[in-house]
Amino acid sequence: MLSFAQVNFGLNLAGLIGIIYVLLAIVYFILTIAWLARRGNRLTGWALALYIIQVVFTPIIMLLCGIILFFQGWRLDPILQIEQFLLLLLILYLSIKDIVINAVYRDR
């Protein structure tokens, strides 16, 4: 564990998951904005509003969770680190499914 200006962080499973959350939040935000810019005019009012809410809040929540896990993940018990890893797998699956459905199957 390193200590730098009263900020503790360690590079364990939770710290790596935190880094992945931060990177995934940035990539997800960029890809969904690009998709929305190309296909936003096809969506109805409610669908567009819900999609914009998803585009705004999902990366913010993932970014905050990633920062918290990176700086405070060294305090987690191993069972909580496994739980965070399983949640990461679920989020990766849902994000990839969302991007593939919107990018691949909507082009037809």
Side-chain angles (χ1 to χ4, degrees):
M1 176 174 57
L2 301 173
S3 181
F4 178 72
Q6 299 299 324
V7 176
N8 296 324
F9 60 94
L11 199 57
N12 56 4
L13 182 62
L16 292 174
I17 290 172
I19 293 169
I20 292 171
Y21 273 152
V22 169
L23 294 176
L24 185 63
I26 294 167
V27 169
Y28 185 79
F29 182 73
I30 291 170
L31 289 177
T32 52
I33 289 294
W35 181 85
L36 190 61
R38 288 191 323 179
R39 307 243 189 299
N41 56 359
R42 293 185 192 174
L43 298 174
T44 62
W46 280 101
L48 183 62
L50 289 175
Y51 202 84
I52 289 174
I53 290 170
Q54 177 184 344
V55 167
V56 170
F57 286 112
T58 302
I60 289 173
I61 292 170
M62 288 174 56
L63 192 65
L64 286 174
C65 290
I67 290 170
I68 289 169
L69 278 175
F70 181 70
F71 287 111
Q72 298 296 323
W74 61 272
R75 303 174 80 187
L76 288 180
D77 293 334
I79 192 71
L80 290 175
Q81 290 182 14
I82 291 171
E83 178 258 341
Q84 286 294 322
F85 178 70
L86 293 174
L87 282 175
L88 173 71
L89 292 178
L90 179 66
I91 289 172
L92 282 174
Y93 167 74
L94 293 174
S95 299
I96 290 170
K97 182 186 71 108
D98 187 34
I99 291 169
V100 166
I101 285 174
N102 287 330
V104 175
Y105 292 117
R106 302 286 179 172
D107 286 338
R108 296 178 184 180

